[in-house]
Amino acid sequence: MKLKHDRYRLTDNDSPSGFAACLKSLGDVDNAPARTVKTRFFDTFDWRLFDNKVSVCVGSGERDPQVSISNLASNKTVATIHSDLPTGFASDFPEGRIRDLMNGFIDVRRLLPRLDVTSRQTPITLRDKEGKVVLRIGVEKCRVQIPGRARTVALGTYLTLQPVRGYAKIDTKARALLQTGFALHPCATPLFIEGFKALGVCPGDYSSRLRLDLDQAMTSNAAARQVHLTLLNTMTRNEDGIAANTDPEFLHDFRVAVRRTRSALGQLDKGVLPAAVIAKARKDFRWIGQQTNQMRDLDVYLIDYPILRSALPNSYKSYLQPFQDYLIAQSRKESRRLAAMIRGKRYLRIRDNWRGYLTEGFKKDKKAVQADMPVKYLANDRIWKAYRRVMKEGGMIDNDSPAEALHAFRITCKKLRYFLEFFRNLYPPREFGKLVKSLKHFQDVLGEFQDTEVQSLAILNFGRLMALAGVAPTETQMAMGMVAESILLRQGAARSMFFKRFEAFSRSAVKASFAKLFKNKE
Amino acid sequence: MRVLSIYNIKGGVGKTATAVNLAYLAAAAGRRTLIWDLDPQGASSFYFRVKPKIKGGVKKIVRGKSELDDLIKGTDFVNLNILPADFSYRELDLRFAKEKQSRLKKLITPLKDEYDLIIFDCPPSISELSEQIFRASDLLLVPLLPTTLSLRTFEQVRAFLKNEKLRTVKMRSFFSMVDRRKKMHREILENFATTEKQHLAPYIPNSSIIEKMGIERAPVLDFAPRSVPAESFRALWKQVDLTLA
């Protein structure tokens, strides 16, 4: 059997000098002194790189830092750049193929440190008569830790082989010699996966998408509690990230979980959980949602700032700078307030009481008449009702409808969407997926309409606040006005597009599919 | 994939030093880079410590019987590979003369997914091979000595491109081997840079550090990364990268 892999686990008896001696017959062997190399692996909070079978790490040894992007499926390095990741955003990568690649994976999200590997490396290079490196091997003893934490775990000692392109013969010969001389155990698993495993971290264990696995045989009550528990877990998972404010997406996911919870409390739980419990939880989660509104608004404008700026003529672009400065200052202030809220007594009490109720505190309530109903029946009932409401409200929207009517309709659509997401796995995926897609199609237009409405007003409001604070020169006020106008121009297009998309959603084929999947037979 | 050719009719103007150092910088910036040492003297191959030898020689390459992919060697630097020189490259003119004018362009097409940048280190001449290079390139980078004769060669190349209607290739010049102690160098540097639109401002000084590439057998950026020539190559690469974009 040939040595096919490029990484092997070693025994304690194997020494770098032994490998160097073994390869001596093939050329000049450089056995450099051992050095310590630190490698930090990055991923987004929701493991976007890992989900795309990609790893990104920054290595720093004797030379300048070097970013490496690897494909986990092929275990090959896709790109290496002499650089660092100062912000963690895709803009850290050089323009062109690599940035496009990273944009595709992480979008607006930030790469956060996920794993540190400290290795004591002894590099051995094999050179030909010209002094050219024809094969690199390395012996490395690795320890891993979660960035910022003190605990380290030893991974073991490895032999790594790095063949050089165009020197296949020497590579084959070297592998044959190593195989005869040493007992090498291949490691097919990438180093960082082994590292996570040793630290008890499961990469990919968090996704922004709702992962619910409801059982057809469940009662409605059990299903509702599982929905709420999953959403509560999502909220809890994002708390540290919100407090540290390392990526706006922590707050985004937290807010989505709060919104879904409130939607479930309002529509799903009626007749399933006790009315008093629902009323209390609705009040509590409304409060939590309100606490996060201001920060999210600031996040959105900061993320969209380059787009807003691009709407201005070049000569006006610099005038917008005070607006960004103002957003950053407000965002810092608001972030501190939010961090205090998320660690505060009121929030923790709400969270822990809710978890306690969902896991242990639940008691049967006579008035909760639908509690023992099979979940499928409940799901059909809720989705069908929500769908009929969407059709009724959507049909009433016309060219003269005020923005408030479209906003209310958007919320109705969101409720239907949430129900579809909660109960996704109870239905045939193909037909179900088509319906979600058709709903999403016109929801996007509604979102664009609402965003333009809210954003244009918010920018005017920011202008007022900045003027009061004395940080908005006339030129900046004018530039902000131009930005607000450019946003409103998009609104008209969104409104006309809405009618087309809603018409498509109102087709009899879509209606028949909804009825087939969700209409309960009385 | 972009193609950059370091070219001048004249020899000894710093073509190879430029090709090797720009290739190093492109690779360090994350570009998957291939340098093709087209000069039978094999100086680029020498600097990268790769034997100037191609299996099957130029005959098989031009006829398409050797896959370029199989002839490429990894250098000691990440993202940077080399297609070495071969003594048979002295016949490149003859071989290409029997082929279509876009033969070289066609030869490198299969490499477009594998590399972001190909750099041709060209031999000094104006010939059939040069025409093939012009047709395959996105940018022709012409190192010039700050001397009257050298400036004349730039005009010759420009006139040639115009006559042959080779308008798709951009041409840029820069000064190489500049000795600022010489009055003539200083004057040409200032005058030419202000009058010539296709000229890049960064220049490469005449330096013993660049000559040391032959001893170190590595790019200046590798063995003297903080030196003045290294900084000059960095400044030049920035401009070249912008022009290629």
Side-chain angles (χ1 to χ4, degrees):
Chain A
M1 193 183 73
K2 285 179 189 172
L3 296 182
K4 283 181 190 168
H5 296 274
D6 288 341
R7 205 159 63 85
Y8 298 86
R9 188 179 283 277
L10 299 178
T11 64
D12 290 341
N13 302 327
D14 299 323
S15 74
S17 54
F19 293 108
C22 171
L23 298 177
K24 236 172 185 172
S25 60
L26 299 178
D28 293 334
V29 182
D30 280 352
N31 195 354
R35 62 187 184 187
T36 302
V37 175
K38 291 193 181 230
T39 309
R40 174 165 278 188
F41 286 90
F42 289 80
D43 207 331
T44 59
F45 74 109
D46 54 353
W47 301 101
R48 294 207 160 215
L49 294 180
F50 180 79
D51 288 344
N52 283 291
K53 296 187 170 47
V54 169
S55 77
V56 169
C57 67
V58 178
S60 50
E62 289 160 354
R63 291 206 148 201
D64 295 336
Q66 191 167 292
V67 180
S68 298
I69 305 168
S70 304
N71 182 326
L72 292 177
S74 64
N75 222 346
K76 299 276 178 217
T77 304
V78 180
T80 312
I81 316 141
H82 287 260
S83 172
D84 203 345
L85 296 177
T87 69
F89 291 111
S91 54
D92 284 348
F93 295 88
E95 269 183 59
R97 178 185 65 99
I98 302 172
R99 191 184 291 180
D100 293 348
L101 198 71
M102 293 314 293
N103 262 327
F105 293 143
I106 68 175
D107 197 9
V108 296
R109 285 157 193 82
R110 188 178 205 162
L111 291 175
L112 305 169
R114 305 306 292 251
L115 178 79
D116 280 345
V117 181
T118 308
S119 54
R120 190 76 185 145
Q121 290 185 358
T122 309
I124 300 166
T125 42
L126 182 64
R127 293 176 188 272
D128 64 9
K129 283 175 195 163
E130 300 283 325
K132 165 88 182 71
V133 177
V134 289
L135 178 69
R136 286 189 177 89
I137 71 169
V139 178
E140 54 184 51
K141 196 171 185 176
C142 303
R143 294 190 76 82
V144 288
Q145 72 188 109
I146 292 171
R149 302 225 180 129
R151 179 178 161 243
T152 65
V153 175
L155 267 194
T157 307
Y158 301 93
L159 173 76
T160 55
L161 293 161
Q162 286 175 263
V164 177
R165 182 172 182 172
Y167 298 90
K169 273 185 194 167
I170 208 92
D171 181 57
T172 311
K173 283 181 190 170
R175 282 169 196 261
L177 285 173
L178 291 168
Q179 189 179 17
T180 331
F182 302 90
L184 303 172
H185 309 283
C187 299
T189 317
L191 179 72
F192 90 101
I193 302 280
E194 276 192 43
F196 280 129
K197 205 174 164 190
L199 289 162
V201 176
C202 184
D205 64 347
Y206 176 79
S207 167
S208 295
R209 293 185 67 180
L210 189 61
R211 287 176 182 169
L212 264 167
D213 196 15
L214 299 178
D215 186 342
Q216 298 259 10
M218 268 179 169
T219 63
S220 295
N221 181 278
R225 280 185 294 136
Q226 190 171 326
V227 167
H228 281 300
L229 255 182
T230 308
L231 295 170
L232 189 62
N233 287 340
T234 302
M235 288 168 62
T236 311
R237 280 290 296 263
N238 285 290
E239 287 167 2
D240 288 344
I242 293 171
N245 195 22
T246 42
D247 188 320
E249 296 303 309
F250 286 114
L251 180 64
H252 175 257
D253 278 17
F254 181 89
R255 279 170 57 81
V256 171
V258 171
R259 267 208 307 271
R260 282 174 171 154
T261 301
R262 290 178 63 195
S263 187
L265 285 165
Q267 310 292 316
L268 173 73
D269 300 339
K270 208 173 169 187
V272 177
L273 299 181
V277 171
I278 296 174
K280 169 84 173 56
R282 285 184 77 172
K283 197 176 140 204
D284 287 342
F285 281 94
R286 189 191 312 127
W287 176 79
I288 295 173
Q290 284 166 352
Q291 296 303 302
T292 62
N293 287 344
Q294 178 69 6
M295 184 70 201
R296 180 61 193 166
D297 284 350
L298 291 163
D299 281 346
V300 167
Y301 297 115
L302 277 170
I303 293 168
D304 286 352
Y305 180 78
I307 301 168
L308 299 177
R309 192 173 177 270
S310 69
L312 290 174
N314 282 340
S315 55
Y316 275 76
K317 283 190 165 112
S318 63
Y319 297 145
L320 206 59
Q321 189 54 45
F323 178 45
Q324 190 185 28
D325 298 341
Y326 180 78
L327 289 174
I328 292 170
Q330 292 299 310
S331 169
R332 282 192 188 130
K333 210 191 278 180
E334 192 58 22
S335 168
R336 283 195 293 275
R337 195 192 63 76
L338 201 57
M341 187 283 286
I342 215 95
R343 301 276 182 249
K345 278 183 192 166
R346 183 169 177 184
Y347 169 75
L348 294 176
R349 194 175 59 237
I350 293 172
R351 186 195 70 181
D352 296 342
N353 286 348
W354 185 232
R355 186 179 293 282
Y357 171 77
L358 296 172
T359 50
E360 293 157 12
F362 166 72
K363 281 177 196 158
K364 269 204 166 183
D365 180 20
K366 281 181 191 169
K367 286 180 190 166
V369 288
Q370 291 181 311
D372 293 326
M373 183 190 277
V375 62
K376 182 74 184 287
Y377 194 87
L378 180 88
N380 284 348
D381 178 66
R382 299 300 196 257
I383 294 173
W384 182 242
K385 275 183 188 160
Y387 167 70
R388 289 184 60 185
R389 208 170 146 201
V390 164
M391 295 310 294
K392 192 177 162 192
E393 282 184 27
M396 283 157 67
I397 304 272
D398 59 26
N399 261 329
D400 300 325
S401 297
E404 292 79 19
L406 276 114
H407 175 55
F409 180 56
R410 187 188 180 200
I411 292 172
T412 305
C413 292
K414 269 193 177 177
K415 284 175 181 168
L416 171 60
R417 179 84 175 272
Y418 289 158
F419 284 141
L420 290 168
E421 285 168 354
F422 293 156
F423 301 119
R424 179 183 286 266
N425 76 314
L426 300 176
Y427 297 93
R430 211 167 160 186
E431 208 166 349
F432 191 85
K434 274 185 193 167
L435 292 180
V436 173
K437 206 172 165 187
S438 60
L439 173 64
K440 192 176 173 287
H441 212 49
F442 80 89
Q443 260 189 307
D444 289 344
V445 184
L446 278 173
E448 169 78 357
F449 181 86
Q450 179 64 13
D451 289 348
T452 50
E453 175 74 14
V454 173
Q455 279 184 5
S456 57
L457 291 173
I459 284 170
L460 294 178
N461 194 40
F462 277 127
R464 273 184 221 113
L465 293 171
M466 287 169 69
L468 282 175
V471 292
T474 314
E475 294 85 348
T476 304
Q477 293 277 2
M478 283 175 71
M480 288 174 75
M482 288 164 85
V483 168
E485 194 189 345
S486 74
I487 291 171
L488 280 175
L489 280 176
R490 279 163 36 205
Q491 195 178 56
R495 188 187 273 263
S496 57
M497 183 60 81
F498 163 75
F499 295 109
K500 275 186 194 166
R501 300 259 175 110
F502 185 68
E503 203 181 307
F505 186 72
S506 310
R507 276 180 304 128
S508 53
V510 178
K511 192 177 176 183
S513 287
F514 263 96
K516 185 183 151 199
L517 283 183
F518 308 114
K519 197 174 175 186
N520 278 324
K521 290 182 182 79
E522 299 301 334
Chain B
M1 184 182 79
R2 313 296 280 168
V3 181
L4 166 67
S5 294
I6 317 296
Y7 173 80
N8 197 328
I9 300 172
K10 204 171 148 15
V13 294
K15 285 191 300 296
T16 298
T18 305
V20 166
N21 284 291
L22 293 191
Y24 177 95
L25 285 164
R31 308 272 197 287
R32 296 165 301 171
T33 307
L34 174 73
I35 180 166
W36 189 349
D37 186 357
L38 284 164
D39 191 338
Q41 291 179 65
S44 287
S45 308
F46 176 80
Y47 286 147
F48 285 117
R49 296 171 182 267
V50 175
K51 277 182 212 163
K53 181 105 188 91
I54 287 284
K55 202 176 169 188
V58 72
K59 193 173 164 186
K60 283 194 172 178
I61 291 186
V62 175
R63 284 191 180 171
K65 288 190 174 173
S66 293
E67 292 285 335
L68 288 188
D69 208 39
D70 297 336
L71 307 172
I72 292 169
K73 304 269 183 191
T75 68
D76 291 358
F77 310 101
V78 280
N79 297 333
L80 179 53
N81 292 342
I82 185 166
L83 194 52
D86 190 273
F87 197 56
S88 66
Y89 282 5
R90 66 190 189 283
E91 299 164 17
L92 270 170
D93 275 326
L94 279 173
R95 297 283 170 198
F96 276 125
K98 292 174 192 164
E99 303 286 338
K100 283 186 182 168
Q101 288 181 318
S102 56
R103 182 72 193 130
L104 181 62
K105 190 174 183 175
K106 203 175 170 189
L107 280 176
I108 57 169
T109 304
L111 302 173
K112 72 178 191 313
D113 291 334
E114 203 180 339
Y115 293 99
D116 300 314
L117 179 66
I118 293 186
I119 296 180
F120 290 139
D121 180 17
C122 309
S125 70
I126 190 144
S127 58
E128 175 60 35
L129 172 62
S130 316
E131 278 192 57
Q132 293 272 351
I133 288 167
F134 300 157
R135 282 177 210 285
S137 303
D138 296 297
L139 175 63
L140 215 59
L141 187 62
V142 186
L144 298 175
L145 303 185
T147 61
T148 324
L149 270 184
S150 188
L151 300 189
R152 224 181 124 247
T153 60
F154 184 62
E155 284 310 320
Q156 284 174 325
V157 179
R158 182 152 48 198
F160 182 83
L161 292 180
K162 202 176 170 187
N163 287 344
E164 296 297 314
K165 292 179 182 162
L166 291 159
R167 291 198 183 107
T168 53
V169 60
K170 281 186 200 172
M171 187 168 78
R172 295 289 182 274
S173 62
F174 71 98
F175 284 121
S176 169
M177 302 169 84
V178 175
D179 186 347
R180 286 198 68 97
R181 290 169 303 180
K182 292 181 180 167
K183 193 181 170 198
M184 188 179 72
H185 278 206
R186 284 201 309 274
E187 281 175 2
I188 290 182
L189 210 66
E190 277 146 31
N191 294 338
F192 193 75
T194 48
T195 53
E196 179 53 61
K197 281 182 186 171
Q198 291 180 322
H199 186 77
L200 303 178
Y203 65 88
I204 310 300
N206 191 12
S207 163
S208 58
I209 294 175
I210 298 176
E211 285 168 9
K212 263 180 88 180
M213 282 173 66
I215 300 164
E216 298 287 343
R217 297 185 73 179
V220 168
L221 275 300
D222 179 60
F223 68 84
R226 310 270 173 252
S227 63
V228 173
E231 284 307 324
S232 311
F233 280 121
R234 278 193 196 98
L236 179 64
W237 164 245
K238 236 183 214 174
Q239 292 289 310
V240 170
D241 195 24
L242 278 174
T243 315
L244 275 170

